Amino acid sequence: MKDEVATTLLEVKNLKKSFYNNVVLNDISFSIKRGTVLGLMGQNGAGKSTLVKILTGVYEKDGGSILIENKEVSFSTIKEANDKGIALVFQELSLALNMSVADNIFIHNWPKNNLGLVKKDELYDRTKQLLDSFNINIDPADKVSDLSSGERQIVEILKAVSKKPQILILDEPTSSLEKKEIDVLFQFIRQLKREGYSIIYISHHMSEIFKIVDNLVVLRDGKKVLDCKKEESNIQQLVNIMVGSEQKLDINYSKNEDNISNEIVLEVTELSRYPYFKDINFTLRRGEILGIAGIVGSGKQELCETLFGIRQADSGNIKINGKAVKIKDPHVAKKNGILGLPENRKTQGLFLDHSIKDNMITCILDEMKNGLLLSNKKIDETVSRYKAATKIKMGDNNEIIRYLSGGNQQKVLVSKCIAANPQVLVAMDPTRGIDVAAKADIHNILRELSAQGLSVIVISSELDELLTMSDRILVINSGTLTEEFKPNEFDENKIMISMHNSISEVR
């Protein structure tokens, strides 16, 4: 590696930021050397997002300084930050699925002729050169919709790289990826390091952090509480420092068969939706948490969306409490006691520019009425009850939900669903993109609800989560349910093999 790799590229000194009287960042200082990866960690609400927004020109700092190559810089727009060499890759991908890889990567800088028309050949060549420089085997002409989740994440990063930054900020880059795709992404990140890029890597996945970063910075309540090399820390220490406690979080649950009734709440028979899944058969008991494991594209997402009415089945039967139902939309699913917790809270689950109370009562508007009008008393009582039950950190009930941390947004979404008192909750990646403490809270909430008789179906991109949460795990592979694992049969390696093998190898 070049000698310049050892030099400090970015230095943050005594950074401060407040909103009204709320101190969000308090005297934050750290540095990152060229060609290294810095892991930025902390619970939701610790100050990570505000720090990133200052570094990328969304917010202006109240105090302190930012230096790039020992020169102080300031910026008040994203473009100014890009021009100074800092680019952000968001957690939620911003790709246009119906456009080509080349179109997406250079979307803000298409080569054009004198008439303003895009030079397609030049665009293709520039994209091919960029892909080849990182040994990425993707055709620039491929549609993004045809790529895997891992390939899309790489295209999103290359979109940022095309702006020729020195510093890349990656926000939860693996949140929707399977293990094999994560391995490919990490190879790409290591190549970026060899090319001299400095990377700020934000993640709640502890095991990933120790595989890919060189140094760690942890924030808590707006303050820096740890700054060290990764070799100087470990997972338990990080958890303790992030939550401000020496007590290990209670995230391992004992399976209790006594809480699970023999009563069948949901029965699925020969359910098919082409080309995603076919001839699906399973039952769900009252009080049971059923995990469904599968890789991206296995059909697990489409199966769950069919159960709560986002998609319609082509054939097969669904019974609720022994009664056959035809679920044609989410309203019919809700009427029959099935509610879905969508995987993307921002685009599918919440009204971000509305208040906490508006979001929390959207599934129970009729119950909140006195006559023809909504009752503020009923609404406030409901919000207070679920705020306490799900440990939501919030101010006023009228607070706009966009300004809550990701973990607290997710808790509002869970509250919205369980307020409707469903019999079956279909939870799709229920802890995606939230910190370890919020994750433990949501696991506890689902466990407590199952003990009270709620039946839960969980799919997750994290197999560890399914092993922790589930009373039983089904594996879906290429649209077919292939194996069932009971608690005494839980084995991560066996489940992984079942998820990835071809159908002929499984059977």
Side-chain angles (χ1 to χ4, degrees), residues 357 368 370 373-382 397:
K357 72 177 184 182
M368 295 296 102
N370 268 341
L373 301 176
L374 291 173
S375 166
N376 286 326
K377 181 182 178 182
K378 286 184 178 180
I379 292 171
D380 289 340
E381 287 175 350
T382 298
N397 292 351

Side-chain angles (χ1 to χ4, degrees), residues 482-499:
T482 55
E483 289 194 73
E484 175 184 0
F485 293 86
K486 296 177 181 177
N488 62 344
E489 301 169 330
F490 283 4
D491 183 298
E492 185 173 2
N493 288 334
K494 288 181 180 179
I495 295 174
M496 287 285 289
I497 290 170
S498 183
M499 288 164 57

Side-chain angles (χ1 to χ4, degrees), residues 3-14:
D3 291 339
E4 64 178 1
V5 169
T7 63
T8 297
L9 179 58
L10 172 71
E11 188 172 6
V12 173
K13 293 183 176 180
N14 310 114

Side-chain angles (χ1 to χ4, degrees), residues 170-235:
L170 306 183
D171 186 8
E172 295 285 354
T174 64
S175 61
S176 60
L177 304 186
E178 303 289 349
K179 185 179 183 303
K180 286 185 177 179
E181 294 175 319
I182 292 171
D183 292 341
V184 172
L185 178 63
F186 280 4
Q187 290 176 17
F188 177 48
I189 291 173
R190 293 184 184 105
Q191 176 68 17
L192 288 169
K193 283 178 58 178
R194 288 192 290 270
E195 296 293 327
Y197 291 90
S198 296
I199 296 167
I200 297 176
Y201 188 96
I202 303 169
S203 178
H204 293 115
H205 299 290
M206 302 287 185
S207 58
E208 289 179 11
I209 286 289
F210 283 93
K211 287 180 182 177
I212 198 65
V213 309
D214 301 294
N215 301 288
L216 293 162
V217 166
V218 178
L219 303 184
R220 187 178 74 234
D221 298 328
K223 298 177 182 178
K224 184 181 74 173
V225 290
L226 182 69
D227 188 345
C228 68
K229 295 179 180 179
K230 74 173 179 183
E231 293 83 7
E232 298 170 353
S233 186
N234 56 59
I235 289 177

Side-chain angles (χ1 to χ4, degrees), residues 269-312:
T269 309
E270 301 296 321
L271 197 69
S272 299
R273 169 65 193 244
Y274 304 103
Y276 304 109
F277 59 86
K278 59 184 178 180
D279 299 334
I280 300 295
N281 296 278
F282 69 88
T283 59
L284 178 67
R285 293 177 290 167
R286 189 171 301 283
E288 181 180 27
I289 298 181
L290 175 65
I292 299 182
I295 64 173
V296 172
S298 63
K300 63 179 181 180
Q301 178 175 334
E302 292 80 7
L303 171 59
C304 287
E305 289 175 347
T306 302
L307 293 176
F308 64 86
I310 296 294
R311 301 174 187 269
Q312 289 189 41

Side-chain angles (χ1 to χ4, degrees), residues 62-73:
D62 293 340
S65 56
I66 301 170
L67 292 83
I68 296 179
E69 294 184 309
N70 211 32
K71 294 179 181 178
E72 186 166 353
V73 295

